[in-house]
Amino acid sequence: MKKILSFLLLLNAAQIAYSQQLSEKVQIQNVLNTFMNCVIKKDSVAFYPLFHKDPIVWVGVVKEKSHLQDLKKNPKAGDLFLSDYRSFIRSMYDASKYEEKFYNVKINEDGFIASVTFDYSFWIDGKKQNWGSESWGLIKTKGLWKITSVIFSVEEENISPEPKKEN
C-alpha cells in the first residue's frame, strides 16, 4: 500500500510540475503574441511593458547576400546594427501597415529564465520586406516574463527570398 501511495504522490508531483511548465510556456507564448499584436496596432503602451529595465540588448546581423548588396551601395556598410525596442516601435508610427510573423517557435525555460528562438518575417503594407531567425532572452520577475535581449538575423526578401518551409 505504501508503494502505491508513494507512486501516486510521485505521479501527482510530476503532473503538477508538468502543468506549471506548460503554464510558463503559455505565458511566454502570450508575450510573443502581444509583441506581434503591438506591431500591428502600433501600440507602444502595451509594447514597452514587455521588456525588462534598460539596457535591453537589441542587435540585428545582416546576412551575407543582403550585406553584399549593402556594400555595393556603401563600401563602409556594416553587417550588424544596434537599436532598441523604443526605436523599433516608434519607426512604425507612419501610415504604413506593419506586421511581424513568428513561426517555428521553440521555448526553453526553467520557470525563471527562458530562451525563445523562432523564424520571423517582417511585412510592410502586405509585402514581405525581410526575414530571418530571432532569439530572445527572458526573465521572470514579479511573476511576469520580461524580454531582456533580442538578437536576430536579417535577409532582405528582394535580394534573397525566404525559402519555403516544409511543415
Side-chain angles (χ1 to χ4, degrees):
M1 186 66 168
K2 279 187 176 181
K3 287 183 180 181
I4 293 173
L5 185 57
S6 294
F7 175 74
L8 291 174
L9 287 172
L10 183 61
L11 185 63
N12 188 39
Q15 188 175 21
I16 289 169
Y18 176 76
S19 64
Q20 285 175 338
Q21 185 179 29
L22 184 62
S23 176
E24 297 297 336
K25 289 186 178 187
V26 168
Q27 290 175 40
I28 293 166
Q29 184 63 54
N30 287 339
V31 172
L32 277 101
N33 293 340
T34 301
F35 186 103
M36 287 186 282
N37 287 329
C38 288
V39 168
I40 292 168
K41 295 177 182 176
K42 304 176 185 188
D43 184 354
S44 61
V45 173
F47 190 73
Y48 290 171
L50 296 174
F51 296 86
H52 189 258
K53 296 182 251 177
D54 287 332
I56 302 297
V57 173
W58 191 286
V59 180
V61 179
V62 182
K63 289 186 166 193
E64 186 176 15
K65 289 179 184 175
S66 293
H67 185 238
L68 289 172
Q69 283 295 75
D70 291 345
L71 287 171
K72 288 178 184 177
K73 297 175 197 169
N74 175 3
K76 294 182 181 181
D79 64 350
L80 65 88
F81 57 92
L82 306 174
S83 189
D84 60 75
Y85 64 97
R86 288 181 180 94
S87 298
F88 174 74
I89 197 73
R90 285 183 197 141
S91 71
M92 297 173 199
Y93 285 169
D94 66 16
S96 298
K97 179 183 172 196
Y98 295 93
E99 184 176 10
E100 187 168 359
K101 299 177 183 180
F102 300 157
Y103 40 96
N104 301 325
V105 176
K106 294 175 183 75
I107 299 170
N108 186 14
E109 57 79 24
D110 72 356
F112 298 94
I113 65 168
S115 63
V116 181
T117 57
F118 50 90
D119 296 321
Y120 80 92
S121 57
F122 190 77
W123 301 69
I124 300 176
D125 293 330
K127 184 176 181 201
K128 187 187 304 182
Q129 301 299 303
N130 59 62
W131 56 275
S133 295
E134 195 159 333
S135 176
W136 292 358
L138 296 96
I139 62 168
K140 190 164 191 181
T141 179
K142 299 179 183 173
L144 298 171
W145 285 101
K146 300 290 184 173
I147 302 167
T148 59
S149 65
V150 175
I151 59 174
F152 54 99
S153 61
V154 178
E155 189 76 271
E156 298 296 324
E157 179 70 9
N158 63 344
I159 295 168
S160 179
E162 182 175 16
K164 300 289 184 214
K165 305 279 183 192
E166 289 186 33
N167 293 342

